[in-house]
Amino acid sequence: MNGNGAPPRVGDASSGSAASARTRLERGRGALGPALELVHTGRAPTRAVLTAELGVTRATAGAVAAELEALGLIRVDSRPGAGGAQGRPSHRLAIDENGPVALAAQVHPDGFRAALVGLGGRIVATAPGKLTVSEDPAQVLGAVVGAGAGLLAETGRRCVGAGLAVPSAVAEPDGTALNPLHLAWPAGSPVRAIFEQCVKDAGIDGPALAGNDVNLAALAEHRHGAGRGAQHLLCVATGHRGVGGALVLDGRLHSGSSGLALEVGHLTVNPEGRACHCGGRGCLDVEADPLAFLTAAGRTPGPEVSLLQQARDLLRDGYGEPAVRTAAEELIDRLGLGLAGLVNILNPDRIILGGLHRELLYADPERLRAVVADRSLWGRSGGVPILPCTLDHNSLVGAAELAWQPVLDDPLGTLGTAA
Ligand SMILES: [Zn+2]
């Protein structure tokens, strides 16, 4: 099911002979990856747009599209366009609904989730798993990979690889979770190596990669959601606990020298504030996360649903209550202070907010924008757009992007058989 399947059927999807398609493809092979990325991110809905975006001839674009179709990645629909008076084929390009998937996994303080994610960031199947996250990363990752393997067996889909999102900075090149503060995992756990082993043990082919959950959310939002088209995209989000940040520069995650950039959770936003697990005081991490909100509103969190869900519910249903409104305003002001500092340093062209921060933006967008504008040098001069994240499960979709990346870089090399 997950093996390297049938050889590419070069030429059988195009009108010309296999030989002439092959000749065109030789010229266009370098364009396969860029072409797939354009379709993957929704920027090439038709073959005409693909031709223009790639800057190649129509014949080359046709061969490239046909090859991607033969690899089972996209579909080229050449039925006459509905509105075309001449009945001229529109050659619509779409993701192949039955194409391969990536296994995506996410671990957070309240449990884990596995999903299968196709091209285009589409979640094909998902299996939530509730558990008290064990102190042993191997046990948790074994369980989440097992859930993903179950989904693969049920759906019979070909798998290109696996990606994992964790609520910790992931140091490169070792793939270690440096500060899984809200999980009981030991600092420095080699999560990528453990995940790789679990994936291998489950009989799943392809690469197994791991990254920080907010980094991966930002990547997914840049490709498929609220970050599309931004050149300097700043993402700030709460998970179930804590606060993270990410920067996507010209389509690539800015990771710093060893994968640890944008650790925004430990910006000081309240010098007199709560003690933070980092040793500091008044960090965004403990002043603007779901627990901070529930506590500020005078609520004692219960064990039934996640802290994030409890905070969301309270913000949506209890906003009329003065204590809830005051707590929300307090968090908005602290978040705004943190964002203002980041705006001055990073000069982003867009900010997107996820988790509870998205809900705070919905609750009082004017207040948040005003704090950022008042407190930042660059925010004042016209303002940086601040938008809510739009994807469901964006960290999972981002985890899948890790596994899809080798295919996006070289579709034929990863999915075709060796010539
Ligand atoms: Zn801190």
Side-chain angles (χ1 to χ4, degrees), residues 81-106:
Q86 317 292 324
R88 189 163 174 238
S90 61
H91 294 288
R92 297 209 149 273
L93 305 179
I95 300 303
D96 188 332
E97 303 263 343
N98 300 311
V101 293
L103 192 167
Q106 182 178 12

Side-chain angles (χ1 to χ4, degrees), residues 370-398:
V371 178
V372 176
D374 286 350
R375 297 296 196 127
S376 66
L377 199 54
W378 308 140
R380 224 167 288 154
S381 59
V384 186
I386 304 178
L387 304 172
C389 286
T390 55
L391 299 176
D392 291 332
H393 305 302
N394 50 17
S395 294
L396 269 176
V397 173

Side-chain angles (χ1 to χ4, degrees), residues 265-266 276 278 280 283 285:
H266 301 285
C276 181
C278 73
C283 298
D285 213 60

Side-chain angles (χ1 to χ4, degrees), residues 281-332:
R281 186 168 285 280
C283 298
L284 208 51
D285 213 60
V286 287
E287 297 287 341
D289 86 333
L291 181 61
F293 174 61
L294 291 166
T295 311
R299 298 303 204 270
T300 307
E304 323 73 43
V305 292
S306 75
L307 287 173
L308 178 57
Q309 193 58 49
Q310 291 176 58
R312 267 185 190 147
D313 292 346
L314 182 60
L315 194 55
R316 283 179 185 173
D317 305 336
Y319 201 62
E321 194 186 314
V324 174
R325 196 183 175 106
T326 303
E329 289 175 352
E330 197 174 286
L331 259 79
I332 287 169

